[in-house]
């Protein structure tokens, strides 16, 4: 292979949201250049998350958690154009229905489909088509969770092997050098992708503010959108796909969901 003019070290953070809950069921990958991620301002956030637990699912307006979320989002969004995010919404019930045909052959085929196929598509989409004169060295970070690894499948190994095979097979210019599991409250990138994906889910669901938790989530998202034009631009331009038992992913303009959400919550 010819030597590239540029080599870029990339960090990809992976997360999922909504599995075994009401729709939507989402997965996401967030790509951040290592040089940007490792700057002092962002690394200071690693100390912050050790002090304050941040989890969008449980957020209900706690001021300490709100301030931490606010700082994380606004710090990363200073150079939002460096970040790239892919999200897939998949129909879990359709996968489980289809899996009944061959469940007697592979018992956990539904989980294997969800946790082996979609993550590969997400991360591949983040690393492809960077151009002929650049090479991307990539580390993948996954929140440590037993659902990602058991006796029959291991997401870390799957991503490492299959993405490197894809790179060669499709003539792309990236290498996955490492894939690893990371515990919560150790790397702010894990917290960031959890927050962003949770916010995407809240925007899609656009829940009624009758319950305090929904109201506080919607209020915080609106304040971030209206006070930070970089955050608005980033959310608006997320690459968002939907899968509903079809052979291909359908790309959907996420701005449509965003406009509906903002219209519904404009009082905030």
């Amino acid at each position: 292979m010819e030597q590239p003019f540029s080599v870029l070290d990339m960090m990809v953070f992976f997360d999922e949201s909504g599995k075994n809950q009401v729709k939507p069921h989402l997965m996401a990958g967030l790509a951040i250049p290592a040089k940007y991620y490792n700057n002092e301002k962002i690394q200071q956030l690693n100390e912050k998350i050790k002090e304050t637990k941040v989890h969008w699912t449980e957020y209900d307006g706690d001021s300490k958690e709100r301030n931490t979320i606010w700082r994380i989002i606004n710090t990363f969004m200073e150079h939002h154009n460096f970040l790239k995010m892919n999200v897939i919404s998949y129909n879990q019930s359709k996968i489980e229905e289809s899996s009944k045909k061959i469940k007697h052959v592979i018992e956990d085929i539904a989980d294997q489909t969800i946790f082996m196929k979609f993550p590969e598509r997400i991360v591949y989409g983040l690393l492809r088509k960077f151009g002929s004169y650049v090479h991307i060295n990539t580390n993948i970070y996954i929140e440590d969770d037993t659902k990602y690894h058991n006796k029959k499948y291991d997401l870390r190994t799957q991503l490492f092997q299959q993405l490197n095979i894809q790179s060669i097979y499709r003539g792309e210019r990236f290498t996955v050098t490492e894939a690893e599991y990371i515990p919560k409250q150790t790397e702010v990138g894990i917290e960031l992708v959890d927050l962003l994906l949770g916010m995407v889910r809240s925007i899609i669901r656009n829940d009624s503010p009758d319950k305090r938790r929904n109201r506080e989530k919607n209020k915080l998202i609106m304040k971030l959108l209206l006070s930070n034009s970089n955050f608005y631009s980033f959310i608006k331009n997320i690459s968002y796909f939907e899968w509903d038992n079809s052979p291909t992913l359908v790309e959907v303009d996420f701005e449509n969901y965003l406009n509906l959400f903002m219209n519904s919550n404009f009082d905030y």
Side-chain angles (χ1 to χ4, degrees), residues 5-22:
F5 295 151
S6 301
V7 176
L8 178 64
D9 292 328
M10 186 73 77
M11 305 172 77
V12 173
F13 298 91
F14 173 84
D15 196 16
E16 56 92 25
S17 175
K19 188 175 186 292
N20 299 325
Q21 299 177 32
V22 293

Side-chain angles (χ1 to χ4, degrees), residues 12-17 26-32 73 77 80-88 122-123 125-126 189-201 231 234-241 251 254:
V12 173
F13 298 91
F14 173 84
D15 196 16
E16 56 92 25
S17 175
L26 304 175
M27 285 188 178
L30 177 67
I32 308 174
I73 296 295
M77 292 300 145
H80 70 290
N81 51 301
F82 290 164
L83 279 58
K84 185 178 179 183
M85 189 170 181
N86 283 353
V87 179
I88 290 178
I122 286 168
V123 181
L126 292 171
I190 290 289
E191 313 301 324
L192 177 62
V193 71
D194 174 86
L195 287 172
L196 291 172
L197 185 58
M199 290 179 182
V200 165
R201 191 166 189 268
F231 178 66
F234 176 80
I235 292 291
K236 181 181 73 171
N237 292 303
I238 283 172
S239 294
Y240 172 76
F241 303 86
E251 186 166 11
F254 193 72

